[in-house]
Amino acid sequence: MRFIRFSHRPAHPSLWLLCLPYAGGSPSMFAEWNGLLGPGIEAISVEFPARGQQMGEKPLVTIRAMARRLADAFERHQFEPFAVYGHSMGALVGYEFCIELRRRGLPFPRILFAAAHRSPVKPYPARKLHALETDQLVEVLRKMGGTPHDVFSDAELLDYHLPLIRADLKACETYVHLPASPLPCDIVGIRGAHDREVSEEDIAAWGSLTARDFQLHTLPGDHFFAKSDAEPLVTLLKGALFEKV
């Protein structure tokens, strides 16, 4: 089973960009990125268990379990140099992945891009979306806007997606940050200007987690700005990454 999905185009990149999706998301959200990134940077994506080519597996229900699984895959592939982009849940996984890399003595990313998620040091809201009744959860997901509309109109698709989304939400909502020394890589925090879930203060708090440089950027869009309009985001990523190549 492929946990890390490489593109099929031939490439000899100067830098790899490991992309981690939001709760319930899939590698498809990064499908157009290699065309936008251009030569020199190769986007590769993560497909968490219980979906796509890993449909037969059970979903992971803790952020640290996802990070450990990702570190296992990284040890097998050893792509370097690299950076990490995590969107919402993916940002949290990306942070714990870095912690796990340090624990194992493995190479570190040049940059951790933490998008659309509050810093791990900021407590998660008391609400527990993963425990909502189906009708309530569906209504919340409709309003958030990250789930394809055809999922809600197809009972079979909904039955498939809801357990995955619940598992991912549970992983986020039960996460507890453990104190750790700052990461030895740059962190770039990114939020959508109209994101009602994550404030600028939430993103700014990522700055305390790095011993290197921290930048904060606000882009057009809401919580799912990476999906609704990837171009401004990829332009920002390219600018930051080419400084590290």
Side-chain angles (χ1 to χ4, degrees):
M1 300 270 185
R2 292 172 61 195
F3 192 70
I4 297 176
R5 293 178 59 174
F6 294 84
S7 72
H8 295 293
R9 70 182 177 88
H12 301 283
S14 301
L15 190 143
W16 301 90
L17 178 62
L18 179 63
C19 302
L20 312 179
Y22 53 78
S26 72
S28 64
M29 70 174 285
F30 307 112
E32 65 177 323
W33 281 29
N34 276 318
L36 296 171
L37 285 166
I41 302 172
E42 179 82 359
I44 54 178
S45 54
V46 168
E47 184 171 73
F48 293 116
R51 59 208 88 189
Q53 296 183 35
Q54 301 198 84
M55 197 177 292
E57 294 195 35
K58 291 183 178 179
L60 300 173
V61 293
T62 72
I63 296 297
R64 290 186 177 88
M66 295 178 190
R68 288 193 296 269
R69 185 72 172 272
L70 182 53
D72 291 343
F74 177 81
E75 281 195 273
R76 289 194 297 273
H77 294 295
Q78 286 285 303
F79 45 85
E80 293 180 70
F82 73 107
V84 176
Y85 175 86
H87 197 95
S88 197
M89 179 187 76
L92 210 50
V93 176
Y95 170 73
E96 285 295 336
F97 171 56
C98 290
I99 296 293
E100 185 67 15
L101 291 178
R102 179 164 58 191
R103 190 185 70 81
R104 300 187 190 195
L106 294 172
F108 243 68
R110 302 288 178 88
I111 305 175
L112 169 61
F113 294 99
H117 200 287
R118 62 183 49 79
S119 167
V121 302
K122 301 273 286 186
Y124 225 82
R127 66 181 187 181
K128 300 298 180 190
L129 299 182
H130 73 272
L132 291 176
E133 296 293 334
T134 296
D135 290 349
Q136 294 174 305
L137 180 57
V138 166
E139 184 59 28
V140 169
L141 295 175
R142 281 183 189 274
K143 289 179 179 177
M144 290 181 71
T147 306
H149 292 298
D150 56 354
V151 169
F152 300 118
S153 57
D154 187 317
E156 219 172 284
L157 275 177
L158 194 60
D159 286 345
Y160 165 71
H161 279 279
L162 275 186
L164 300 180
I165 294 172
R166 283 190 190 278
D168 287 351
L169 288 173
K170 181 178 181 180
C172 292
E173 293 173 345
T174 58
Y175 172 82
V176 177
H177 178 253
L178 300 178
S181 56
L183 301 177
C185 65
D186 293 353
I187 295 181
V188 175
I190 312 169
R191 73 178 290 268
H194 303 294
D195 190 344
R196 293 176 294 179
E197 303 293 317
V198 182
S199 69
E200 185 172 309
E201 181 185 356
D202 290 335
I203 298 292
W206 281 93
S208 67
L209 299 177
T210 176
R212 303 281 299 276
D213 294 332
F214 173 74
Q215 296 180 18
L216 188 156
H217 295 273
T218 300
L219 295 178
D222 58 17
H223 190 69
F224 298 101
F225 59 85
K227 183 180 177 183
S228 59
D229 186 4
E231 280 201 49
L233 171 60
V234 173
T235 298
L236 187 159
L237 301 181
K238 285 168 63 175
L241 291 171
F242 277 121
E243 291 181 6
K244 300 295 178 181
V245 171

